[in-house]
Every structure is written in structure tokens, then in C-alpha cells.
Amino acid sequence: MTTIDQGVDHSKIPDLEHRNFRNDDFWKQIPAWENVTRGEFSDHMWQLKNSIRKIDQVKKVLGDKISDEFFEELKQGQHITPMNIRITPYVFALIDWDDPVNCPLRKQFLPIGSQFLEDHPMHMADSLSEDVDSPVPMLTHRYPDKVLFLPLTICPVYCAYCTRSRVIGGSTETVEKESYGANQKHWDNVFAYLAAHPKVEDVVISGGDAFMLNPKQIQYIGENLLKIPHIRRIRYATKGIAIFPQKILTDDAWMEALIKVNNLAKGFGKQMMIHTHFSSPLEITKWSQMAMERLFSEGILVRNQAVLQEGVNNHVDTMVLLTRKLGYMNIQPYYVYMHDMVPGCEHFRTTLAEGEELEKAVRGTTAGFNTPTFVCDLPGGGGKRHVASYEYYDQENGISVWRAPYVKPDKLFTYFDPIHKLAPDARDRWKDAATRKAMIDEAIAKVK
């Protein structure tokens, strides 16, 4: 039987590109970091200390590598975006600074003024009604047996497409926010609520980002949840593995806390998982693979949830490569979300039809358990539904109507394609408020 030489460049072999992991000194292409050693770049504290948090730092770090015209575009983007800048050197250095306008990583983390489109008329700041379905602060309880716990609103990196831009990352020129950091005293009401609701078995710990919880907080949350008898599963949600893998590799105290919680869960016959958030194969390097090797060796399992984004991952080859790379690293591709209808993100959104076609193309390219489910998280709090499970889809006008039989059985939900992707006559119809209402009413009537 022929074996593959492990030292071979898999990108030269058809269908094996997903086994290649970037391992060059890519950060040295950034003028300010050309003398930074691999050891320094590998350290999580160096990454935090040198994170980009102001637009002027972009120019300072890049020097002549960035044009004055593009820098002005970045500054204009900061006047419009609902999200502040925070980006690790790891991700910043992976951006293609020879063609930043078209780079999928730049699009996700450093918006430019010319990319923005007018928000859809039906957009909502809290598109998923998380605040509406919140029985106590920091908790969303929508599904009978699952809750979402938001213990903080800060992240190691701020994504331009964030679904919680209404609260995450501090106020901007366009959005006033009531952000909050981690505070153990404020979490006890959440634990008390969960203890009093025996139907709840599954807790997602998100935010914000669990990477920003310190070791004591990781343990405090994990232990308090696992000691509630009916809680069977907890999941720490973090984009950290994708944008800050150095923390997994060099922050031993944080990893030790995670391992303790995982061991406690197993001792109780329960489950602890990490849900992470790779959206582009360009985010994946040797550091990603090494971080996953450490997690996997400790018996910590990881699933991925990506967001479908125009110009980032809405091409079949890109999505297939992302899916295969994740599977190769022992990350289970779990969900690909249709983009939520939140402000400042219309340029990222794709049509529902695109999501359906992408899932058809991806399915069959790898094992079924490593094939993500494409879902639409319904505006108004209907929860996640398979992209093809709508009751009615008016593709011409970009209107889909949905039911969520177990979550909110008496309600119909609507999701809308981005208007700029519709035909000119359909775009004209959306300009008139009365016509717009009539179209939506007609679509809903076909389901009723």
C-alpha cells in the first residue's frame, strides 16, 4: 500500500490542500514586527500587549506598506461601523496587505467606508430577540432545555459582522452601548434561575468571548453550572482558537482551569465542549493546528460555528477547504449561519438561495459528521432552522416565511435577502413602504 510522505507539500496534490498549514514567519512582513522572534510572537502576553485598538496604530505598524488613500478608507469605516477595533497581531499579520480591499480577513475585522451599504428596512439591533427572551440579566432562555449565558461583553478581537454589536466592545460613533466586564457577583442570579428550572440541560457560555475570562472565572462558572444536577452539557464559546491560538499554547494557568472543568464534567458523567468560530481557511495556520493538538490531547472536544459572508466564504471551494481543514484538526464543523439582520452588516449578507446551494455543494465532500448544517437563526427569536426548512420563499423579492413549531408555535417569522442582490424592479419595490408591507403581508398570507 502506498503511503503519503508527511513532508510533502499537500497543496500540490489534488484534494489534499486542507493538510497544509501555514508555518512561515508571516508577521515579519509587517514593518513594525520585522524583528519580532517566533518565540515572542508565540507568547499570548505579547499578542495582547501589541493588539491593534486604534486606527492610528494601523498606520504606525504598517508604515509605507499602507497607502494614504486606503488609510482614509479605514478612518471613514470607523465613522460608520457599530464595532470598535480590537485585533491581535496574529490576525493583523495574516491580512493580505498587498491587496487589503479584497482580503477576507481585512473584511471581517477592519471595515472600510466604501464597503458599507444601507441597512435593510427590516433590520433590527437585537435581530434574534435575545434581550426579549431574557428572564434574568445575562441569560437568554428560548429553547426549553437550552440557555445562552453572557457573562461579559468583551472579546480579544472585535468582528465587524458581530451579531451582538448592540452591546459588545464599548460605544462607537454610531452606537451607545451598555457593555460590561466579568463580575462573579452578577452571575449568581443566573445560577439561581437555572437551579430553579429543571428542564434546562444545556448552557452555552458566550458573551463576549470566554477567552477573556480569567482562570478563576472559567472554573467558577464551570463548577457552579456542573453542580446543578439537571445541567448535562456546558459549552464555552470563543473565537479565540481562530484569532488567538497562542493563548491555548502558552497561557498554562488558563488551560489548567479549562482542563479542571473538563475533568469535573467527566467525573459527573457530563459534557464540556468548546464552540469556536473559524469563518475563513485563511485564519488557519500551524498555530491553529498546535492549539487543537493540545486541546485534543487533553480530551477537550471542539465544534465550529461559521457565519456565511459575502467575499469571505461564500464560494464553494472556500467553504469546502474550510470544512476539510477543520475536520483535519479535529474540530467538528457544526453550523454555518445565514448572516443575522443586524446594523452595519448588509454588505456581508448573502441570499437564502446562496446558502441552500452552498450546503448542497459542500454535502458529500467529506464525512457527514464533519459536514456543517447551514441554518438561519430566525429574526424575532424563532431559533435556528435549516436553510431549506422555510414554509415559503419568494426568491424574486427576497422574502422567506418560517415556523418554529416547538420554540414559538403560534408565531410566523420572516427573513429577508439583501436588497442589492435582487433584480432592479424588485429593488424598486422595496423603496416604497406601502409596497414593501404588501409584499410581506402577501408572503405571510401564503403560509397562513
Side-chain angles (χ1 to χ4, degrees):
M1 183 176 71
T2 303
T3 59
I4 297 175
D5 180 1
Q6 294 300 304
V8 75
D9 182 357
H10 293 124
S11 64
K12 306 297 184 183
I13 303 175
D15 296 327
L16 295 185
E17 183 183 355
H18 65 283
R19 299 182 187 176
N20 256 27
F21 292 86
R22 186 171 184 177
N23 198 27
D24 61 311
D25 293 350
F26 55 87
W27 65 92
K28 291 181 178 290
Q29 300 172 34
I30 306 299
W33 301 331
E34 60 184 354
N35 295 319
V36 173
T37 66
R38 180 169 284 260
E40 289 174 314
F41 197 78
S42 298
D43 182 65
H44 73 281
M45 292 303 294
W46 188 92
Q47 289 285 326
L48 284 176
K49 181 180 178 181
N50 291 278
S51 290
I52 306 296
R53 302 190 185 191
K54 299 291 183 182
I55 200 69
D56 289 342
Q57 288 178 269
V58 175
K59 182 68 172 176
K60 183 178 180 181
V61 168
L62 287 173
D64 293 338
K65 200 170 181 67
I66 185 176
S67 68
D68 291 339
E69 293 77 14
F70 186 74
F71 183 61
E72 288 301 314
E73 276 269 47
L74 288 174
K75 289 199 292 186
Q76 182 60 31
Q78 290 307 296
H79 296 313
I80 305 171
T81 179
M83 293 301 294
N84 280 308
I85 289 179
R86 185 170 187 170
I87 181 169
T88 53
Y90 172 75
V91 175
F92 189 88
L94 285 171
I95 292 173
D96 181 1
W97 288 109
D98 292 326
D99 185 18
V101 172
N102 297 306
C103 178
L105 297 188
R106 194 283 307 157
K107 290 178 181 180
Q108 292 184 81
F109 305 111
L110 286 171
I112 57 177
S114 60
Q115 75 184 28
F116 287 93
L117 298 171
E118 184 178 355
D119 289 329
H120 195 283
M122 305 305 292
H123 83 279
M124 294 180 284
D126 182 16
S127 175
L128 306 181
S129 292
E130 291 179 341
D131 297 339
V132 174
D133 292 331
S134 178
V136 295
M138 304 184 184
L139 194 75
T140 296
H141 190 178
R142 175 172 301 137
Y143 303 96
D145 65 346
K146 188 190 85 169
V147 298
L148 171 67
F149 177 28
L150 307 175
L152 76 173
T153 62
I154 56 174
C155 307
V157 162
Y158 293 133
C159 305
Y161 56 94
C162 181
T163 190
R164 298 191 186 110
S165 59
R166 69 191 186 280
V167 294
I168 299 297
S171 298
T172 66
E173 291 186 30
T174 58
V175 184
E176 287 289 332
K177 307 179 187 181
E178 294 184 5
S179 300
Y180 53 87
N183 189 325
Q184 293 180 191
K185 293 180 181 179
H186 295 163
W187 302 336
D188 291 339
N189 287 339
V190 171
F191 303 141
Y193 175 89
L194 294 176
H197 287 75
K199 287 185 179 180
V200 177
E201 298 179 352
D202 193 322
V203 182
V204 179
I205 305 147
S206 187
D209 193 301
F211 249 43
M212 304 304 283
L213 296 167
N214 66 38
K216 289 183 179 180
Q217 292 165 343
I218 287 285
Q219 281 189 247
Y220 185 80
I221 289 174
E223 290 171 358
N224 276 278
L225 291 175
L226 290 169
K227 288 176 181 177
I228 297 173
H230 51 269
I231 301 296
R232 301 291 300 167
R233 298 169 298 276
I234 66 172
R235 326 178 208 167
Y236 290 97
T238 174
K239 192 174 171 63
I241 304 172
I243 47 77
F244 190 17
Q246 290 84 355
K247 185 174 181 70
I248 298 292
L249 295 167
T250 63
D251 191 345
D252 291 333
W254 193 87
M255 268 298 298
E256 185 60 32
L258 201 65
I259 292 166
K260 286 180 179 178
V261 174
N262 191 48
N263 290 339
L264 180 66
K266 289 180 178 179
F268 285 155
K270 299 182 178 184
Q271 185 182 74
M272 188 208 84
M273 300 280 295
I274 289 179
H275 278 202
T276 196
H277 184 28
F278 288 89
S279 284
S280 168
L282 296 176
E283 294 168 322
I284 301 174
T285 68
K286 189 65 177 178
W287 269 290
S288 317
Q289 187 183 37
M290 290 189 298
M292 277 309 305
E293 286 173 350
R294 184 174 189 186
L295 289 166
F296 192 74
S297 70
E298 296 290 353
I300 297 173
L301 302 181
V302 181
R303 300 188 187 110
N304 189 72
Q305 300 181 122
V307 175
L308 185 56
Q309 300 168 71
E310 173 83 17
V312 174
N313 56 17
N314 64 323
H315 190 279
V316 171
D317 291 345
T318 303
M319 189 60 74
V320 169
L321 179 58
L322 174 62
T323 300
R324 286 178 169 167
K325 270 189 172 292
L326 291 171
Y328 195 78
M329 290 193 297
N330 289 318
I331 298 176
Q332 182 187 1
Y334 178 35
Y335 279 148
V336 176
Y337 288 90
M338 297 300 301
H339 203 297
D340 295 328
M341 297 189 63
V342 290
C345 292
E346 198 65 6
H347 57 287
F348 282 122
R349 295 205 308 120
T350 60
T351 66
L352 185 62
E354 288 178 85
E356 288 185 276
E357 290 304 312
L358 268 173
E359 182 172 58
K360 289 178 185 177
V362 172
R363 192 160 296 280
T365 61
T366 189
F369 58 81
N370 268 343
T371 302
T373 299
F374 285 60
V375 295
C376 182
D377 207 345
L378 297 180
K384 303 169 189 67
R385 309 298 295 174
H386 185 271
V387 287
S389 67
Y390 47 80
E391 303 296 322
Y392 175 73
Y393 182 19
D394 174 4
Q395 195 166 329
E396 180 182 358
N397 293 306
I399 304 170
S400 52
V401 185
W402 310 69
R403 292 188 192 275
Y406 202 81
V407 178
K408 294 178 181 176
D410 299 325
K411 186 174 179 180
L412 291 175
F413 301 87
T414 49
Y415 181 81
F416 304 93
D417 291 343
I419 293 173
H420 72 278
K421 291 211 164 197
L422 305 178
D425 55 343
R427 293 202 295 267
D428 288 340
R429 287 193 286 273
W430 274 99
K431 292 177 182 177
D432 180 71
T435 304
R436 178 193 313 158
K437 183 180 184 304
M439 288 192 300
I440 297 171
D441 290 345
E442 182 181 354
I444 292 173
K446 289 183 180 295
V447 175
K448 286 183 175 179

